[in-house]
Amino acid sequence: MSASAAKIAAPVESLVLDRNGARVSPIGSRAFLLEATGAFDLASQRRIWALSRAVELWSETLEIVPGMTNLLIVLKQTAEDPEALASRLLEAWEQAESIDLTGRRIEIAVTYGGDHATDLAALCDRSGLSDREVVRIHYEGTYRVFALGSAPGFGYLHGLDPRIYMPRKTVPSLNMARGCVTIGGMQTGVAVLTGPNGWNSIGFAELQMFDPMSSMPAVMAPGDTVRFVPASIEL
């Protein structure tokens, strides 16, 4: 067996490389995940955006999936030398300079409170704030779309005021409606599908966040700026 064939045959599941605040792990035989281990903030995400642009140009790359301070690279075929590929990805991360994406400004009309605000009372109990204070703090925020994921068109929005952070539920809601405006940890977003959901709902948006028949199926894209505008407040 040749040296290259031996490398192909060797299992890659145990290959994990850590260096300078980043970790690369194999995902199956043709994908690698780089995770930035530093602060969960805009500066780190801007480096992920820069890394995405660089890795997208590699001849081996089939697809890239930017996440929340992480990047998944899917290869066209199994890497002959997985360790060398992982090391190259780490080197690209070290060289990645922060960039900003020029996105759109999006306003989303929200009905705060009402039947869909199933978790607003729990958020008030945790934060010590009134329901009106929670709502005001949420709609006064300006948010950046860090990444899309978990469901088609779902935008992970950064910029939530720490006063209304709310951990994800240990037991998800079984049938949360599409359009629920939610908080999960230090992020906020809009549910794009009806079904189980571990985030906390405080209102409802009529805007359809994902339309597979549209030329631009997802309303949001990484780098976009989002504001929530109260259409009504039902408390």
Side-chain angles (χ1 to χ4, degrees):
M1 180 182 295
S2 68
S4 60
K7 290 176 181 175
I8 294 174
V12 297
E13 288 79 3
S14 60
L15 173 63
V16 177
L17 296 185
D18 290 91
R19 194 162 69 215
N20 293 337
R23 169 180 294 183
V24 174
S25 308
I27 307 295
S29 61
R30 292 197 301 117
F32 290 83
L33 178 68
L34 180 138
E35 300 171 279
T37 57
F40 179 77
D41 57 19
L42 183 57
S44 295
Q45 194 65 23
R46 284 173 170 166
R47 288 188 66 195
I48 290 291
W49 293 339
L51 178 66
S52 300
R53 287 190 175 180
V55 172
E56 192 173 23
L57 300 177
W58 291 2
S59 61
E60 305 95 323
T61 301
L62 175 65
E63 181 183 7
I64 57 167
V65 183
M68 301 293 290
T69 62
N70 64 64
L71 176 69
L72 178 70
I73 172 175
V74 182
L75 305 176
K76 295 175 183 175
Q77 59 188 24
T78 301
E80 290 190 5
D81 189 339
E83 186 171 355
L85 192 289
S87 181
R88 183 183 176 194
L89 189 55
L90 282 171
E91 290 172 3
W93 166 252
E94 292 166 357
Q95 296 168 7
E97 297 183 359
S98 176
I99 65 168
D100 202 4
L101 299 181
T102 304
R104 299 178 302 150
R105 296 187 64 86
I106 300 169
E107 291 190 349
I108 300 175
V110 179
T111 296
Y112 285 101
D115 293 340
H116 290 96
T118 53
D119 305 295
L120 182 55
L123 200 160
C124 291
D125 288 342
R126 177 180 176 84
S127 65
L129 300 169
S130 70
D131 51 7
R132 291 192 179 277
E133 287 174 316
V134 168
V135 166
R136 176 185 57 79
I137 291 168
H138 188 265
Y139 72 67
E140 286 182 349
T142 300
Y143 305 97
R144 292 294 300 274
V145 182
F146 267 21
L148 301 183
S150 86
F154 178 77
Y156 288 94
L157 305 184
H158 180 265
L160 188 68
D161 190 302
R163 290 176 291 174
I164 56 173
Y165 285 0
M166 182 72 171
R168 301 182 192 187
K169 303 172 187 175
T170 54
V171 179
S173 301
L174 296 179
N175 197 38
M176 186 178 290
R178 175 192 65 80
C180 283
V181 177
T182 58
I183 291 174
M186 61 179 65
Q187 304 163 64
T188 188
V190 181
V192 298
L193 299 173
T194 296
N197 195 314
W199 289 37
N200 304 279
S201 181
I202 62 171
F204 184 79
E206 293 284 354
L207 179 64
Q208 184 173 347
M209 304 305 298
F210 183 79
D211 180 2
M213 304 306 294
S214 172
S215 59
M216 294 181 61
V219 169
M220 297 182 189
D224 286 347
T225 300
V226 177
R227 295 292 306 270
F228 293 100
V229 179
S232 64
I233 299 176
E234 302 174 4
L235 302 174

